Amino acid sequence: FAQKKAGMRLLVADLVLVCLAATEAFVVPRSGTPRRTAVEAVSVPVRTFEGAQSGSATMDLRTAASGKDMYVVHKKYVHERRSARAGTASTKTRGEVRGGGRKPYKQKGTGNARRGSTRSPLIVGGGVIFGPKPKNWANKKINKKEGALAVSIALQNKANRAVVVDADFKLDGPPKTKKIVDFIRNLDIDEADNVLLVYDDYDETFDKAQANLPKTVFRRQDKITVSDMLWANNVVFSKKSFDWVTNKYGRPEANDDDSE
């Protein structure tokens, strides 16, 4: 069991490593040991809702010291995946299966193995040995500051694949999937390339219109997870959501400069 548990940890660590390796700020040397380079502020393009160029914005979020960022991101990712499990898998033991109270045949003289019940785990219709039982998988805790830092690191590592739209994600008229497809393509993004749309003000029409796209996720700014960042190949922010993310996860000195 211990070997299986260790193998699962290595598998999750490899998944996080492969996903983050797609960014320029993350370097994987030949030895296979993760090494972080200095993460600097990244200029993110700003586009109009129709896709025209409208300037640029700076993404400069908090990150961890070299060598510690992978630990924080991995810890938050495992916490998210554990919390997402329902934990409702259940089987019955021999004592919980109905029936089997009568001895099926006499002890001796039949040539069969000795049996005291027809609900033995060794026969069909019997109970299950060491089967799953309902479990609370969300029993592992993570500090709020650690979790926020992990999301900040994941966001900063996606800065090179991010776009800011200087408008809210809202649609007029009936919800049409084609409108969302045109909106994404106008940003020079393929709608089939794992697109994460981060919004501030919820619009039901926009949500319904994008719901038919299997590779598009509509996420509120304060619900962004590390899993979202590892899954997404492109991140599209509304202007308000980008400002919110910058204020919440930005470096303290960057926020002070903005306030001045």
Side-chain angles (χ1 to χ4, degrees), residues 217-232:
V217 172
F218 197 45
R219 187 79 71 219
R220 203 172 73 183
Q221 57 199 12
D222 57 343
K223 299 298 183 181
I224 300 174
T225 64
V226 169
S227 301
D228 290 335
M229 292 297 104
L230 295 177
W231 172 84

Side-chain angles (χ1 to χ4, degrees), residues 42-49 51-57 59 158-167 169 183-184 186-189 195-198 233-239 241-242:
V42 178
S43 179
V44 179
V46 178
R47 312 281 285 269
T48 64
F49 197 87
Q53 295 288 345
S54 183
S56 63
M59 179 178 281
K158 286 296 182 188
N160 292 322
R161 305 299 300 273
V163 178
V164 179
V165 177
D166 62 353
F169 293 157
F183 165 69
I184 295 175
N186 288 338
L187 300 175
D188 299 326
I189 298 175
V195 183
L196 178 67
L197 302 171
V198 184
N233 291 329
N234 301 278
V235 183
V236 181
F237 295 93
S238 69
K239 186 63 170 66
S241 67
F242 181 81

Side-chain angles (χ1 to χ4, degrees), residues 20 33 40 52 59-63 103 106 132 139 168 173 198 211 213 227-228 254-255:
L20 288 181
T33 303
E40 299 179 352
M59 179 178 281
D60 188 15
L61 308 183
R62 292 191 299 271
T63 56
K103 188 175 176 67
K106 64 181 182 178
N139 57 356
D168 293 329
V198 184
L213 298 175
S227 301
D228 290 335
N255 289 336

Side-chain angles (χ1 to χ4, degrees), residues 18-35:
V18 170
C19 293
L20 288 181
T23 65
E24 295 180 2
F26 194 84
V27 179
V28 181
R30 294 183 179 180
S31 62
T33 303
R35 182 180 79 248

Side-chain angles (χ1 to χ4, degrees), residues 15 29 63 106 142 144 149-150 193 196 211 252:
L15 174 62
T63 56
K106 64 181 182 178
I142 184 172
K144 288 184 178 180
L149 179 60
D193 192 21
L196 178 67

Side-chain angles (χ1 to χ4, degrees), residues 61 155 221 224 237 241-250:
L61 308 183
L155 281 165
Q221 57 199 12
I224 300 174
F237 295 93
S241 67
F242 181 81
D243 293 340
W244 186 92
V245 167
T246 302
N247 291 331
K248 180 174 178 61
Y249 300 111

